[in-house]
Amino acid sequence: MYFQISASIADSHAELADAAKCIDAVMDECTQRSLIRGHLLARSSGVDVNQIDAALELFADDPAFTAVEVIECEGCGAVEKPADIQKMIVEYGAYTCSRCDRSVDAESFRADDYCAAYYFEPDAAKRMETPLAIPPVVNPPVAPTPGMDEPVDHELTTEEVQIVTELFESCFDSADAVMDFVLESCTRPISREIETRNKRSAIRSLREKAHNHALLGEVLVDLAKEFPNKQAYILAVAAKIQDKYVQVSDAYEQKALSLTASAEEPSLNLGRTAFLEKATSLNPFLNLGDLRKWCEHAESRVCRVRSDGDDYGTGFLVGPDLVLTCFHVVKDFISTHERKYLSVCFDPTIDIETATAINIDSDWDIPFSKVSETDLRDNFGVPEPDELDFALLKLTEGPGETRGFFQLRDNVRLPRVGEPILIAGHPGPYAPLQELKFSMAAPGFEKVNKNQTRLIYKTSTLEGSSGSPVFDRQFRLIGLHHNRGEQDGRFYANNRGIPIKTIAKYLAKSTWADLPEIQRVTTG
């Protein structure tokens, strides 16, 4: 878990640990003020909606959360405050949804038909120093109703929840339509348990209650009769969930055989139809606008580290006049009399003649941390806490005042395993280094080592990439690329970097901590 409030709730309310973990994951994805709704989380995660709602009530005690009452549009799910809807009805005679143009008049509007939602402010939430792993809570299975089908594994998987929900949404256009089906199908005995607040709640309720009573299979059979044009689709969904039941009733078996025999495509493969596209890694999609902005920042802030016309590696601005790179890139220039030969070049192309070259301030004592001998071995031992392979160069000018710079944050969270990792730099393998390139891998992030001194990821690099900035899927600076990883045949299996937060914490406690430049970059 990434937030203190999540860990606290999971610790004090063990029965809500799965719900807290789900909410925590959503919080971690929020980059701005966001509205969190319990039933949507339940739908996407498969966690019971009652547990989600109970956990959200506890989260509401945290200053980062603000509870609000909203009414959802039955047409598109957009939300509005009841008071705002009432105001528009009074002024114009009806409320019209701004997204789908669905209208509600005074007669059909019910102010008490609201649901709880919560505004979350990411900047107000306190993060964990180190992400906390919470083991999932295994709830005892709900006993099936006597005489009905018996579930093998009571919980539907997230994928199963998704495919059943999408099927229901394609069949029903309103809560009333759901209820009409319930009263005419095998679910009539449990009709009083079905919520009818709106279409979404009705669909969720039908899915959950039918499954809890081991009726979901028969619901699908009844659906196939009700919607003959969707028989192939419905039977594919039925095939996907049929292993949830040890046995089925004779009535269900007869219905299923009858439908299978009459269906045009009884062997329809669900994976080739409704779910043709599947993610191959965790959160692989990047926002195009943010990617464009990130590319612009990389072009202006990433540089080549040079000496006497030769390229040694990559660096990047972390302050108005400060460039971060790897110690092993500049180790021959750390001494005072050698610094004058160092410079950086900020042009993203390979045309050295037109590049913007700036010299290093040779009078400034370069803060650094040496490379570890373990990085040079094939077995990759654990480096010492002060072996971070970085050097912080001060320039004679302040290009960061116009170009901007990346920030060294000591609280940036690490990605989850499998999330994309991006690197921008000047790969070689020969001098002069190539023009600015970026590489990405998805799945990308693998792990962090035992003492938080090395990141391990699958993103490709070459000699010359040392000193490049490493970013997560939200384009946050998380690392300094410094070394190859484990070899796997012709290619390497992974690469390695230094966590930015580890560098920031090291600088804040180092012998250079009192320098004004260090205080500025470590305190933001």
Side-chain angles (χ1 to χ4, degrees):
M1 289 191 177
Y2 296 103
F3 295 89
Q4 294 180 12
I5 179 65
S6 312
S8 175
I9 290 173
D11 183 56
S12 59
H13 297 76
E15 74 281 5
L16 300 179
D18 283 349
K21 185 177 181 180
C22 169
I23 296 168
D24 182 85
V26 172
M27 293 164 59
D28 185 53
E29 290 296 317
C30 295
T31 57
Q32 58 188 359
R33 189 169 188 253
S34 304
L35 186 67
I36 296 178
R37 287 178 273 175
H39 69 88
L40 295 183
L41 291 188
R43 173 188 168 189
S44 62
S45 67
V47 178
D48 182 75
V49 67
N50 294 320
Q51 289 190 0
I52 293 284
D53 287 341
L56 281 171
E57 289 182 8
L58 298 174
F59 274 88
D61 293 333
D62 189 273
F65 282 82
T66 303
V68 293
E69 295 177 352
V70 297
I71 291 181
E72 292 185 337
C73 173
E74 292 188 12
C76 65
V79 296
E80 192 69 78
K81 293 180 180 178
D84 293 339
I85 296 178
Q86 285 179 314
K87 181 179 179 181
M88 186 172 289
I89 290 176
V90 171
E91 292 182 2
Y92 302 103
Y95 164 78
T96 302
C97 176
S98 59
R99 182 184 295 177
C100 69
D101 293 332
R102 185 185 180 93
S103 294
V104 177
D105 57 22
E107 184 177 348
S108 59
F109 173 65
R110 291 184 295 171
D112 58 349
D113 190 16
Y114 63 83
C115 63
Y118 302 84
Y119 279 109
F120 171 60
E121 297 280 0
D123 294 338
K126 294 181 179 179
R127 287 185 172 272
M128 301 287 291
E129 186 71 20
T130 302
L132 177 66
I134 300 292
V137 174
V138 180
N139 295 318
V142 177
T145 303
M148 295 187 177
D149 306 337
E150 180 181 355
V152 174
D153 176 7
H154 180 70
E155 296 297 331
L156 291 173
T157 66
T158 300
E159 182 184 30
E160 290 165 342
V161 168
Q162 178 189 1
I163 64 176
V164 173
T165 300
E166 290 188 2
L167 170 62
F168 287 174
E169 288 180 340
S170 74
C171 293
F172 305 117
D173 59 6
S174 68
D176 290 340
V178 174
M179 202 60 197
D180 288 342
F181 171 79
V182 168
L183 293 174
E184 297 296 329
S185 70
C186 63
T187 50
R188 184 181 180 86
I190 61 171
S191 59
R192 291 187 177 182
E193 299 180 32
I194 306 299
E195 297 179 18
T196 56
R197 186 174 63 219
N198 52 46
K199 174 185 170 181
R200 290 172 182 265
S201 65
I203 286 176
R204 183 193 70 243
S205 180
L206 173 60
R207 185 196 70 231
E208 293 177 353
K209 301 304 181 183
H211 181 62
N212 289 345
H213 288 283
L215 286 171
L216 192 53
E218 293 196 38
V219 165
L220 295 178
V221 171
D222 288 342
L223 266 183
K225 286 186 173 182
E226 184 75 16
F227 301 94
N229 61 323
K230 295 180 181 291
Q231 277 192 5
Y233 180 18
I234 295 169
L235 286 173
V237 175
K240 193 76 173 178
I241 67 164
Q242 65 183 1
D243 61 351
K244 289 288 175 181
Y245 301 93
V246 175
Q247 60 184 9
V248 294
S249 65
D250 291 340
Y252 171 80
E253 189 170 15
Q254 291 173 7
K255 292 177 183 177
L257 287 173
S258 166
L259 283 169
T260 301
S262 62
E264 293 182 3
E265 297 182 50
S267 60
L268 182 66
N269 185 333
L270 191 66
R272 292 188 288 106
T273 55
F275 305 96
L276 199 59
E277 295 87 12
K278 277 295 180 185
T280 57
S281 65
L282 181 65
N283 294 328
F285 304 107
L286 305 179
N287 182 284
L288 185 59
D290 292 339
L291 176 61
R292 187 179 297 111
K293 184 185 299 182
W294 174 77
C295 287
E296 292 173 356
H297 289 168
E299 281 188 337
S300 60
R301 301 172 185 178
V302 178
C303 60
R304 294 192 295 272
V305 179
R306 318 189 71 237
S307 177
D308 286 340
D310 292 329
D311 294 331
Y312 280 70
T314 303
F316 56 97
L317 285 165
V318 294
D321 56 356
L322 297 178
V323 166
L324 184 66
T325 188
C326 286
F327 171 80
H328 75 261
V329 170
V330 297
K331 60 183 176 63
D332 294 333
F333 304 94
I334 293 293
S335 61
T336 304
H337 66 281
E338 295 291 340
R339 295 174 194 163
K340 61 185 178 180
Y341 298 110
L342 264 183
S343 65
V344 297
C345 182
F346 277 100
D347 187 58
T349 70
I350 202 169
D351 187 358
I352 305 299
E353 303 245 341
T354 62
T356 304
I358 302 176
N359 292 326
I360 302 302
D361 184 348
S362 59
D363 295 328
W364 198 60
D365 186 22
I366 298 177
F368 68 90
S369 177
K370 292 185 176 180
V371 67
S372 173
E373 289 187 7
T374 64
D375 293 318
L376 308 178
R377 305 182 200 142
D378 289 334
N379 59 358
F380 291 106
V382 179
E384 294 297 323
D386 61 348
E387 294 177 330
L388 302 179
D389 191 20
F390 78 85
L392 193 59
L393 312 177
K394 184 177 181 182
L395 309 181
T396 55
E397 301 176 22
E401 294 176 358
T402 55
R403 294 174 176 267
F405 51 86
F406 300 114
Q407 293 186 318
L408 298 184
R409 296 188 181 277
D410 62 4
N411 61 349
V412 62
R413 71 117 174 137
L414 295 180
R416 289 190 285 273
V417 174
E419 287 193 332
I421 295 296
L422 299 89
I423 295 177
H426 291 278
Y430 309 110
L433 300 179
Q434 298 180 49
E435 62 187 29
L436 186 65
K437 302 286 181 68
F438 95 81
S439 57
M440 181 185 114
F445 187 72
E446 291 191 348
K447 61 183 177 179
V448 62
N449 73 343
K450 291 181 180 179
N451 65 352
Q452 303 273 313
T453 58
R454 297 294 184 270
L455 303 174
I456 302 172
Y457 40 80
K458 298 185 72 67
T459 312
S460 294
T461 59
L462 289 172
E463 291 181 30
S465 297
S466 292
S468 297
V470 181
F471 301 87
D472 66 8
R473 64 180 293 268
Q474 294 180 334
F475 308 103
R476 294 177 294 203
L477 176 66
I478 63 166
L480 169 72
H481 174 70
H482 92 118
N483 196 16
R484 56 165 176 74
E486 300 160 326
Q487 192 162 9
D488 182 18
R490 178 183 175 188
F491 298 103
Y492 280 88
N494 49 47
N495 283 298
R496 298 179 179 236
I498 316 297
I500 281 297
K501 65 179 183 180
T502 303
I503 294 175
K505 291 176 180 178
Y506 176 85
L507 283 170
K509 297 178 180 179
S510 69
T511 57
W512 299 280
D514 292 333
L515 293 175
E517 295 89 348
I518 300 300
Q519 292 180 357
R520 281 196 297 269
V521 298
T522 56
T523 60

